[in-house]
Amino acid sequence: ELKVEQNPLFLSMQEGKNYTIYCNYSTTSDRLYWYRQDPGKSLESLFVLLSNGAVKQEGRLMASLDTKARLSTLHITAAVHDLSATYFCAVAKYIFGTGTRLKVLA
Amino acid sequence: NAGVTQTPKFQVLKTGQSMTLQCAQDMNHEYMSWYRQDPGMGLRLIHYSVGAGITDQGEVPNGYNVSRSTTEDFPLRLLSAAPSQTSVYFCASSYPEGDTQYFGPGTRLTVL
């Protein structure tokens, strides 16, 4: 059974700081997705990572995939308040982690 | 394009009632899926479809039925609602395999 774990589950950080969210999964997969969800809203796609070593960047967010370690990271650079949301990773398209709730404090 | 649409946005049911959550997409996506989202549990897959006439069960299929008679529509039926089915339901669609999913706005269901 494929399991996906994210950590931390909750993250409170100051504006301007850097931090990384981790997504570990239990069985081999070369497809990993990151989504963002604002409170009370739907999910929005951030990144699609389809091979070992894949790296994608958009603004202050950068995602990477290491299929051998079964690990993806979402790195936040110089956080701003607008990044406050819940971030989900998903493996093999349909299996989601429990999410990381990020709060960026001014 | 409207993308993925879901109706209703909110629904309150009594235990034992049945209802259908509607989902439609206008992007000609082959893949469609239903999830439920409960606090602290992320999204859990209920049922999914890889094309018209083809459906399969996900992680939590009990108490739900689906059908896929057209590419555009993928309704989710609650056969006999239970309080444990109180949740937010999301429908999503995508092209096959590597493509990301596009999510509808969600339906917030309360079962009393």
Side-chain angles (χ1 to χ4, degrees), chain A residues 33 35 37 42 45 93-94, chain B residues 35 37 94 97 99-101 104:
Chain A
Y33 309 83
Y35 295 88
Q37 185 179 38
S42 186
S45 177
K93 192 184 280 286
Y94 296 124
Chain B
Y35 297 87
Q37 183 175 31
S94 72
E97 296 307 321
D99 190 55
T100 190
Q101 295 185 88

Side-chain angles (χ1 to χ4, degrees), chain A residues 7-24:
Chain A
N7 67 82
L9 298 181
F10 300 97
L11 176 57
S12 180
M13 57 191 297
Q14 297 288 329
E15 277 193 330
K17 298 294 187 181
N18 303 334
Y19 209 83
T20 300
I21 299 171
Y22 297 89
C23 174
N24 293 272

Side-chain angles (χ1 to χ4, degrees), chain A residues 47-59:
Chain A
F47 300 109
V48 179
L49 304 169
L50 296 178
S51 62
N52 186 43
V55 178
K56 296 277 184 76
Q57 184 165 4
E58 180 73 32

Side-chain angles (χ1 to χ4, degrees), chain A residues 3-105:
Chain A
K3 293 188 177 180
V4 182
E5 293 185 350
Q6 288 182 235
N7 67 82
L9 298 181
F10 300 97
L11 176 57
S12 180
M13 57 191 297
Q14 297 288 329
E15 277 193 330
K17 298 294 187 181
N18 303 334
Y19 209 83
T20 300
I21 299 171
Y22 297 89
C23 174
N24 293 272
Y25 52 98
S26 60
T27 61
T28 302
S29 176
D30 58 0
R31 292 175 287 149
L32 191 132
Y33 309 83
W34 284 97
Y35 295 88
R36 168 183 172 144
Q37 185 179 38
D38 292 308
K41 303 293 186 181
S42 186
L43 281 79
E44 172 190 353
S45 177
L46 292 174
F47 300 109
V48 179
L49 304 169
L50 296 178
S51 62
N52 186 43
V55 178
K56 296 277 184 76
Q57 184 165 4
E58 180 73 32
R60 301 174 187 273
L61 301 177
M62 183 175 71
S64 65
L65 177 61
D66 182 344
T67 59
K68 295 179 181 178
R70 298 175 188 169
L71 171 68
S72 179
T73 60
L74 180 66
H75 186 72
I76 303 158
T77 301
V80 293
H81 179 71
D82 285 350
L83 290 179
S84 296
T86 299
Y87 294 85
F88 292 95
C89 63
V91 178
K93 192 184 280 286
Y94 296 124
I95 311 302
F96 280 74
T98 51
T100 296
R101 187 183 299 178
L102 171 66
K103 186 173 183 179
V104 180
L105 305 173

Side-chain angles (χ1 to χ4, degrees), chain B:
Chain B
N1 285 352
V4 181
T5 57
Q6 292 183 238
T7 56
K9 291 184 179 177
F10 301 93
Q11 182 70 49
V12 179
L13 292 178
K14 294 181 179 179
T15 296
Q17 288 184 315
S18 63
M19 80 159 295
T20 299
L21 306 185
Q22 301 292 344
C23 175
Q25 53 93 7
D26 61 359
M27 296 174 282
N28 202 32
H29 286 163
E30 294 179 46
Y31 285 23
M32 296 186 75
S33 52
W34 276 103
Y35 297 87
R36 59 178 290 171
Q37 183 175 31
D38 302 296
M41 299 190 73
L43 276 76
R44 292 184 292 169
L45 183 66
I46 304 172
H47 286 283
Y48 65 101
S49 169
V50 297
I54 306 170
T55 64
D56 207 346
Q57 296 181 352
E59 179 186 357
V60 289
N62 292 343
Y64 308 94
N65 275 357
V66 292
S67 61
R68 183 100 180 269
S69 56
T70 68
T71 299
E72 293 79 19
D73 300 298
F74 191 42
L76 178 72
R77 298 183 191 85
L78 280 70
L79 308 174
S80 178
S84 61
Q85 293 178 305
T86 294
S87 188
V88 179
Y89 291 84
F90 288 101
C91 177
S93 72
S94 72
Y95 290 115
E97 296 307 321
D99 190 55
T100 190
Q101 295 185 88
Y102 297 84
F103 282 82
T107 294
R108 186 173 297 271
L109 175 68
T110 302
V111 182
L112 303 175

